[in-house]
Amino acid sequence: MDHVKSLKCLICGREYRPDEVEYVCPEHGDEGILDVQYDYDLIHSRISPASLAQNHDYTIWRYKPLIAVEPDSPTPPLTVGWTPLYRADRLAAGLGLKHVWVKDDGRNPSASFKDRASAVAVVKAREKGAQIITTSSTGNAGAALSALCASVAQPNVVFVPESAPPAKVAQLLVYGSTVMLVRGTYDEAFALCAQAAREFGWYNRNTGFNPYMSEGKKTASLEICEQLGWDAPDWIVVSVGDGCIIGGLYKGLFDLYSMGWINKMPKILGVQAAGSAALYDAWVRGIDAMAMTPIEAHTVADSISADLPADRIKGLRAVRATNGAYVKVTDEEILAAIPVLARGSGVFAEPAGAAAYAGLVQGIKEGRITPDERVVILSTGNGLKDIASARKSVGEPFVVDKDLADVKRKLAGQ
Ligand SMILES: *Cc1c(COP(=O)(O)O)cnc(C)c1O
Ligand SMILES: [Zn+2]
């Protein structure tokens, strides 16, 4: 990994060699999240927009020289990333904007954005020779780890809160993970998973702890800019729970800007559920990540429910460093956004994915986004992940007798 200069603590700024520390800054314990520092000149000598134009690997691994893995490490066979970026003119018109795109990350192998990070976790764990990988998850990070591990027969243990939607738990079991349904919140599952990892020596994929997860998640930004011909958008809109995705998006943009592949940094709009808005509150009140205290999170969008966001340092930096903003949206607005997004673009998102659309509506209402600005909405998870929530936001079907006359009556509204 000669392209990785160091792992830098985002609290004290101390830098470590990748072989010197495993996950966090030893000075700052579990809170000392590390940020991978790259040698951009060296990377730019190995990969460029021109070389990418000739590259037919349409997965996150087309950016391998820009990811903190060994160049010769084998990568899992599942097709992660290079998800479609759809122009959504009808949605744009409805919002009073000219240029809107929807990136459908529900198209990943386990149907969420989390595959990007879990693919990197599997590679890193194998570089370390780990026997078992573990993670805690609201559902999707676990499902992603399960799928990626299944693709290379890698044993793994996943901790999820008992309240996780049934489709996500089914994914874990089908892929063959050892599943721990925790009687508690996601934050409590996170703590238990960390204890187990330490006790048993398992490789820990936890968000906001393992520094390499941001490096997988950043590939969405690399793709967005490449898919737009390296003409970066003005805004990227994404829902936020722990803050790892938004932090990763920022990192990818920072990489591209540092190498001169894009000529401006897009602003990032972070969207939180009103009942799980710790980062929104900290941003509004100008509070430092280290001064944040846990809330009691409640939202229908289970994927973005977090009492104390694990990746809060990177999550706040993403918005502050890009002059972006945080907004919050209610559960009603999130549920209502599911059919609007689906009907306006053809993309069916789970509540946390549709929350990004609801947040864009809010950002426009607050006057943050002007009509000419180019906006990318990131749909982070597939709607089939949580059909119970989706059904709450739509009407009922007609139920008809086996009789055309009844079909006619129903069509006529009788
Ligand atoms: C995990 C997740 C998010 C939020 O990502 P964080 O890194 O926790 O902020 C958003 N949407 C979906 C579908 C997710 O699975
Ligand atoms: Zn430190």
Side-chain angles (χ1 to χ4, degrees):
M1 288 209 299
D2 56 349
H3 60 305
V4 173
K5 286 204 295 200
S6 68
L7 302 179
K8 183 176 181 179
C9 174
L10 288 181
I11 299 173
C12 66
R14 202 159 301 170
E15 298 190 41
Y16 302 92
R17 284 195 325 271
D19 59 359
E20 233 179 328
V21 284
E22 182 135 50
Y23 304 108
V24 288
C25 172
E27 299 291 316
H28 287 97
D30 289 357
E31 297 205 293
I33 184 81
L34 299 170
D35 192 26
V36 181
Q37 308 291 305
Y38 291 97
D39 181 340
Y40 290 119
D41 289 335
L42 185 62
I43 291 170
H44 188 71
S45 72
R46 295 175 177 167
I47 184 177
S48 66
S51 74
L52 284 165
Q54 308 298 320
N55 186 336
H56 298 293
D57 176 359
Y58 292 107
T59 73
I60 60 169
W61 301 114
R62 67 194 276 100
Y63 306 110
K64 198 175 183 189
L66 247 170
I67 301 173
V69 297
E70 297 292 351
D72 54 358
S73 285
T75 55
L78 292 180
T79 299
V80 176
W82 202 257
T83 54
L85 182 71
Y86 300 118
R87 230 193 120 86
D89 290 339
R90 270 180 302 125
L91 269 191
L95 292 161
L97 301 179
K98 297 207 181 82
H99 311 284
V100 172
W101 288 265
V102 178
K103 187 163 176 67
D104 183 9
D105 252 60
R107 285 277 296 267
N108 278 303
S110 81
S112 90
F113 192 102
K114 297 295 198 297
D115 288 334
R116 297 178 185 275
S118 288
V120 171
V122 168
V123 174
K124 296 311 287 180
R126 302 207 138 197
E127 284 179 358
K128 299 228 176 235
Q131 301 297 307
I132 291 178
I133 310 181
T134 190
T135 195
S136 61
S137 169
T138 59
N140 286 340
L145 186 67
S146 293
L148 271 300
C149 283
S151 78
V152 293
Q154 165 69 53
N156 64 97
V157 183
V158 177
F159 294 77
V160 289
E162 211 175 17
S163 59
K168 297 180 183 180
V169 178
Q171 282 185 291
L172 303 174
L173 296 167
V174 168
Y175 286 125
S177 298
T178 301
V179 183
M180 302 285 169
L181 274 193
V182 181
R183 292 197 194 94
T185 64
Y186 164 60
D187 292 62
E188 287 160 342
F190 186 101
L192 185 59
C193 171
Q195 275 176 6
R198 257 189 287 268
E199 178 80 14
F200 307 123
W202 297 341
Y203 186 77
N204 186 338
R205 177 230 177 271
N206 271 347
T207 289
F209 180 75
N210 186 317
Y212 299 109
M213 298 305 92
S214 317
E215 305 308 309
K217 289 177 172 181
K218 78 180 181 187
T219 56
S221 278
L222 308 181
E223 289 173 17
I224 288 168
C225 292
E226 187 176 1
Q227 287 168 322
L228 292 176
W230 306 108
D231 185 5
D234 295 294
W235 286 94
I236 298 178
V237 187
V238 65
S239 66
V240 181
D242 272 327
C244 187
I245 293 182
I246 196 170
L249 292 172
Y250 166 76
K251 183 62 174 294
L253 298 170
F254 180 85
D255 287 348
L256 297 178
Y257 189 70
S258 300
M259 293 188 297
W261 295 14
I262 56 175
N263 56 23
K264 66 157 189 268
M265 283 291 282
K267 292 167 275 190
I268 303 182
L269 187 69
V271 182
Q272 291 218 281
S276 178
L279 285 165
Y280 166 85
D281 286 337
W283 179 74
V284 166
R285 293 195 270 141
I287 289 175
D288 186 79
M290 297 309 293
M292 289 173 64
T293 49
I295 58 166
E296 234 181 79
H298 289 289
T299 170
V300 67
D302 58 289
S303 301
I304 50 172
S305 184
D307 296 346
L308 182 61
D311 225 352
R312 53 198 177 279
I313 299 179
K314 290 181 181 174
L316 279 174
R317 175 177 74 171
V319 164
R320 287 182 174 147
T322 63
N323 269 318
Y326 268 104
V327 292
K328 62 176 176 181
V329 291
T330 64
D331 278 1
E332 292 69 40
E333 289 165 332
I334 290 171
L335 290 179
I338 295 174
V340 176
L341 181 63
R343 293 165 195 185
S345 69
V347 175
F348 180 17
E350 69 164 88
Y357 176 83
L360 175 57
V361 172
Q362 181 62 26
I364 294 168
K365 205 185 288 175
E366 293 176 10
R368 300 189 184 279
I369 295 150
T370 55
D372 287 333
E373 288 187 307
R374 298 159 70 242
V375 180
V376 172
I377 300 170
L378 205 52
S379 175
T380 41
N382 193 293
L384 295 175
K385 291 270 194 177
D386 183 2
I387 49 170
S389 294
R391 282 297 293 268
K392 286 184 198 150
S393 64
V394 292
E396 291 299 318
F398 294 117
V399 179
V400 293
D401 298 330
K402 296 173 281 188
D403 171 9
L404 193 58
D406 198 25
V407 173
K408 284 182 182 168
R409 274 194 299 277
K410 295 293 177 357
L411 287 173
Q414 288 160 14

